[in-house]
Amino acid sequence: LVQEGFIRLARSAHRIKDPAKAPAYLRSIVLNLARDSNRRGLVSLRHHLPFDNDQASMEDELALRDGRLWIASPSGQGVWRYDVESGRIHRAAGTTKQGHTGDGGDPLRATFDGPRGVWLTASGVLCIAEGENNVIRAFDTVRGTVRTIAGVGPKESTYIRDGVPATRAPIWQPHGILEIENGQLLIS
């Protein structure tokens, strides 16, 4: 956890104006990572999932399966696919422009805003938590389409009530996603 904390601190070093505050920032990163690890363990216990503390967190921007690493880029407004065997990286979804367009169409023509967490389902659907658009999008890597599966978009975030369809339920800045049993998704 501490090593990952240093990595995240290094990524954010350009944002820290006062170097004396770096130790406090590192402490908060490590504490949040510890909480994330604990939360993953509790979710695993509640839903009878195998838990490996070395797994990537559902809040992480990476998903790995079948020799492909899927990378959500909040600042790049898209998702990239890295082929481990060939060492090549390709833009898989997003125009790199900020927005919320493209549902039902080509993922490379869709716009995203702050894609953060990603989760690749067993059926090949890459779920993308878009923090700034307040939605979860599904990128079908087999059919080559993208669509919103939860949330109502960037302009609405007021809670309505439980029991409404996911695409009519406002969510606020989702950062992570995890598939549990029977295709159900947990959103953080």
Side-chain angles (χ1 to χ4, degrees):
L1 292 176
V2 174
Q3 179 183 7
E4 178 64 19
F6 275 105
I7 291 169
R8 291 185 184 195
L9 176 65
R11 283 186 201 154
S12 302
H14 64 281
R15 290 186 219 152
I16 301 173
K17 293 178 178 52
D18 181 3
K21 293 184 179 181
Y25 186 66
L26 178 62
R27 255 191 317 277
S28 69
I29 292 171
V30 172
L31 285 172
N32 286 332
L33 288 170
R35 287 182 189 125
D36 289 347
S37 178
N38 187 40
R39 183 172 51 240
R40 285 193 314 275
L42 291 173
V43 167
S44 295
L45 287 173
R46 270 190 225 125
H47 296 285
H48 309 292
L49 300 171
F51 175 65
D52 175 1
N53 203 31
D54 291 330
Q55 289 177 326
S57 166
M58 65 181 162
E59 290 84 12
D60 286 344
E61 300 161 356
L62 306 171
L64 176 65
R65 181 167 302 143
D66 299 329
R68 292 190 173 136
L69 181 66
W70 300 89
I71 307 161
S73 175
S75 59
Q77 309 305 345
V79 176
W80 277 255
R81 182 187 74 239
Y82 174 75
D83 187 300
V84 175
E85 188 174 314
S86 72
R88 297 183 184 267
I89 191 165
H90 304 277
R91 184 169 49 92
T95 63
T96 71
K97 304 278 189 251
Q98 196 172 16
H100 183 243
T101 63
D103 273 3
D106 180 353
L108 290 171
R109 299 185 66 155
T111 57
F112 294 85
D113 192 1
R116 287 179 171 55
V118 290
W119 184 267
L120 189 61
T121 69
S123 61
V125 174
L126 186 71
C127 297
I128 306 161
E130 276 188 81
E132 304 308 317
N133 275 335
N134 301 326
V135 296
I136 303 297
R137 310 270 291 275
F139 167 23
D140 189 326
T141 61
V142 177
R143 292 189 182 99
T145 58
V146 67
R147 65 187 175 93
T148 299
I149 59 171
V152 294
K155 299 197 185 325
E156 183 64 49
S157 61
T158 306
Y159 173 76
I160 299 174
R161 68 183 181 284
D162 287 344
V164 298
T167 54
R168 293 186 51 215
I171 55 178
W172 179 248
Q173 294 190 337
H175 279 65
I177 189 159
L178 172 71
E179 181 182 31
I180 57 172
E181 58 205 30
N182 300 324
Q184 295 177 33
L185 300 173
L186 293 178
I187 300 168
S188 68

